[in-house]
Amino acid sequence: MRRGIAIVGASIAIGAALVVSRTETPSRPEITTPATSASIAKGEYLARVGQCEGCHTARGGERYAGGRGIVTPFGTVYATNLTPDPDTGLGRWTRTDFRRALHEGRSKDGHALTPAFPYTNFTRITSDDAAALYDYLQSLPPVARKNRPHALRFPYDRPWMIAAWRALNFTPGEFVPDTSRSASLNRGAYLVHGLGHCDACHAQRNAMGAVVSGTSLAGGTMPGLGWYAPSLRDSHEGSVAHWKPEDVASLLATGIAPGASVAGPMAEVVRRGTQHYSTDDLRAVVEYLQSVPQVRDSSTPPPAIDPKDPVFVRGQKLYADHCADCHGQDGEGAGAAAPALAGNRVVTMASATNAIRAVLMGGFAPVTDGNPRPFGMPPFGQVLGDADAAALMTYVRNAWGNAAPEVSALAINRERGAAVEE
Ligand code: HEC
Ligand code: HEC
Ligand code: HEC
């Protein structure tokens, strides 16, 4: 298997080398406009929209000094120091170097960066926005912190592998506005597909970890972490096309909306990113998300479970013992204190992963200005064995009018060993 990959990889690399030499960047004149306080402020805002700080700050480390590990199926990639330290950060970088990193995914010395840095999205960032981001980062206090080498497995640690990946999966692009649509819809599309990099998670990935074409926003399992980022084109998953616009805005600005609350990696997206959107940008993103073409529902509902089925009965008892106090006898929820589980898409989605994780690991909606003290869901991983947790999940997925495939003890066990972010 490994060898197979290496051989395929090697032959791709030969092709890649040819392609790479053809797309060498022509040298451009350096832009020399000095930073202004307005461009620094704009850059600070855009850095929030792009959630640069989250990836580029190690847990407990100094802001933007790098060192956080991004878990991928190919190993761990460490985000770099973006502070203006001359030796370990971007102190010697020009605006052109910086723009090239976002637009082409190349470092100052020309080496190709790994796509754990979402330059497949950031390539759409305009040069004005890139300049503002540069001005902001250069205004930060420099922190001397050497970049940590990536811990990628062979052959993914080889430069020819990254070259091959890029040859197959990446072409630098621009955001091309659709002139038949409003300025606001175009702004929404720019934020969602560019700086906001929503489809870095909400899309399917192939075996090489590249977005499968045509699946943008159609949902997918997050590489490395295994959370399922639901389809934003399907009303049974994460689509918000049929919601009231103000509820979508509330979800992105506060992390909660009637009958929904974000969790896991999406809670971080809201906390670091979307809660800081300006009113206009929030409106643009909501408008765009509601305009995304929807898939037609062609799924057949699973066969109903007999309420006398011993698994169902066991789940019902466990629910009454452990969950009903918060989520209600009939899964009706308790306002902001606990979401309804009846009719909840996280519970009924084909993929049970996120619901299982909520129960095993517990969780919080993000702390946001609009919801400063979110209620927490306690972890039940220690309380419930695999068979009990499976019966409980099967019950909540099929009680109160919910209908979804059963959950096996094996599926529970798999989630116990799930990758945890560093
Ligand atoms: C999902 C995590 C993630 C996000 C979000 C992210 N980065 Fe990064 N970035 C990385 C990783 C990982 C690398 C290292 C890639 C490598 O070394 O191959 C990186 C590398 C870079 C580099 C190249 C640095 C160098 O020394 O070569 C720049 C510049 C950069 N990021 C800027 C940004 C900016 C600006 C933003 C926000 C608009 C941002 N990043 C958001 C993960 C991220
Ligand atoms: C780092 C990965 C990641 C990124 C980036 C990301 N999402 Fe998510 N998103 C998730 C995951 C995982 C879930 C499922 C967990 C949950 O329901 O909160 C989710 C859920 C959602 C939901 C459904 C919430 C619900 O309760 O029904 C919406 C809507 C959404 N994301 C929108 C967005 C938008 C808009 C962006 C870009 C600004 C974005 N996401 C970026 C991972 C991500
Ligand atoms: C102390 C109150 C409390 C108890 C007890 C509790 N929950 Fe929760 N539950 C919550 C809260 C609050 C959330 C929202 C957390 C978040 O947004 O991350 C939640 C979220 C969830 C979710 C994810 C729903 C979503 O929309 O993201 C599921 C599934 C869930 N609980 C199932 C259960 C089950 C099954 C039990 C019993 C084993 C249980 N809960 C016990 C308070 C509770």
Side-chain angles (χ1 to χ4, degrees):
M1 178 70 196
R2 268 244 162 119
R3 229 179 100 199
I5 293 174
I7 292 166
V8 174
S11 50
I12 296 167
I14 296 165
L18 300 171
V19 179
V20 169
S21 57
R22 270 198 280 120
T23 54
E24 222 35 86
T25 334
S27 55
R28 290 195 217 101
E30 175 56 25
I31 316 160
T32 47
T33 348
T36 61
S37 56
S39 73
I40 292 173
K42 179 181 170 191
E44 177 170 20
Y45 172 70
L46 295 172
R48 285 185 151 173
V49 175
Q51 300 149 49
C52 319
E53 183 180 342
C55 282
H56 284 276
T57 306
R59 198 147 292 172
E62 291 191 76
R63 291 180 66 213
Y64 285 105
R68 175 166 174 186
I70 314 296
V71 181
T72 79
F74 316 109
T76 301
V77 181
Y78 292 95
T80 53
N81 185 346
L82 298 184
T83 73
D85 183 67
D87 298 320
T88 62
L90 307 186
R92 295 187 217 279
W93 286 46
T94 63
R95 279 205 184 83
T96 308
D97 296 332
F98 183 78
R99 156 84 170 144
R100 187 173 72 153
L102 298 182
H103 187 63
E104 295 176 28
R106 286 191 185 278
S107 191
K108 181 173 169 61
D109 65 7
H111 83 265
L113 295 161
T114 59
F117 168 37
Y119 58 80
T120 49
N121 294 101
F122 291 166
T123 187
R124 297 185 183 84
I125 293 175
T126 61
S127 41
D128 279 359
D129 282 357
L133 282 162
Y134 172 86
D135 290 346
Y136 168 62
L137 293 171
Q138 294 291 331
S139 79
L140 295 170
V143 178
R145 185 186 196 286
K146 268 185 103 139
N147 288 330
R148 186 168 167 183
H150 304 321
L152 288 166
R153 288 193 308 278
F154 178 82
Y156 307 105
D157 56 346
R158 297 301 140 100
W160 54 259
M161 193 65 186
I162 296 173
W165 192 96
R166 289 164 56 95
L168 289 171
N169 302 301
F170 176 64
T171 338
E174 304 278 340
F175 175 72
V176 185
D178 177 346
T179 47
S180 70
R181 305 187 101 186
S182 70
S184 177
L185 273 174
N186 275 304
R187 176 73 180 164
Y190 173 70
L191 293 171
V192 164
H193 295 288
L195 255 184
H197 63 279
C198 308
D199 61 8
C201 297
H202 289 274
Q204 271 174 44
R205 304 262 167 176
N206 63 21
M208 283 186 96
V211 169
V212 176
S213 105
T215 70
S216 176
L217 304 184
T221 297
M222 277 177 67
L225 293 179
W227 280 84
Y228 180 71
S231 170
L232 303 180
R233 299 172 178 270
D234 182 342
S235 62
H236 294 92
E237 298 203 351
S239 165
V240 289
H242 56 296
W243 287 20
K244 290 196 213 123
E246 59 268 31
D247 291 346
V248 189
S250 160
L251 187 80
L252 296 176
T254 69
I256 52 173
S261 117
V262 297
M266 190 62 204
E268 188 168 338
V269 169
V270 170
R271 184 169 65 82
R272 294 194 180 273
T274 57
Q275 74 153 319
H276 303 291
Y277 283 14
S278 69
T279 316
D280 285 350
D281 279 352
L282 188 61
R283 194 183 305 120
V285 165
V286 170
E287 211 184 307
Y288 178 72
L289 289 177
Q290 297 203 298
S291 80
V292 171
Q294 300 292 302
V295 294
R296 269 218 212 103
D297 182 23
S298 57
S299 59
T300 35
I305 295 187
D306 178 357
K308 292 200 202 65
D309 183 305
V311 170
F312 196 82
V313 172
R314 185 175 177 186
Q316 189 167 29
K317 165 125 195 353
L318 290 163
Y319 181 82
D321 290 350
H322 297 296
C323 326
D325 279 353
C326 288
H327 290 285
Q329 287 304 328
D330 296 313
E332 72 276 18
L341 300 183
N344 186 319
R345 300 184 296 184
V346 177
V347 173
T348 55
M349 250 185 326
S351 161
T353 300
N354 297 349
I356 296 173
R357 288 182 173 197
V359 173
L360 294 181
M361 302 174 202
F364 280 88
V367 175
T368 56
D369 286 347
N371 184 30
R373 271 179 296 279
F375 290 92
M377 157 86 192
F380 285 89
Q382 301 292 318
V383 180
L384 301 169
D386 291 352
D388 276 351
L392 177 59
M393 296 314 295
T394 298
Y395 172 73
V396 295
R397 274 159 74 82
N398 291 281
W400 328 297
N402 288 352
E406 293 179 36
V407 171
S408 68
L410 189 70
I412 302 283
N413 196 267
R414 236 185 350 242
E415 295 306 334
R416 283 190 201 275
V420 183
E421 238 182 315
E422 189 167 311

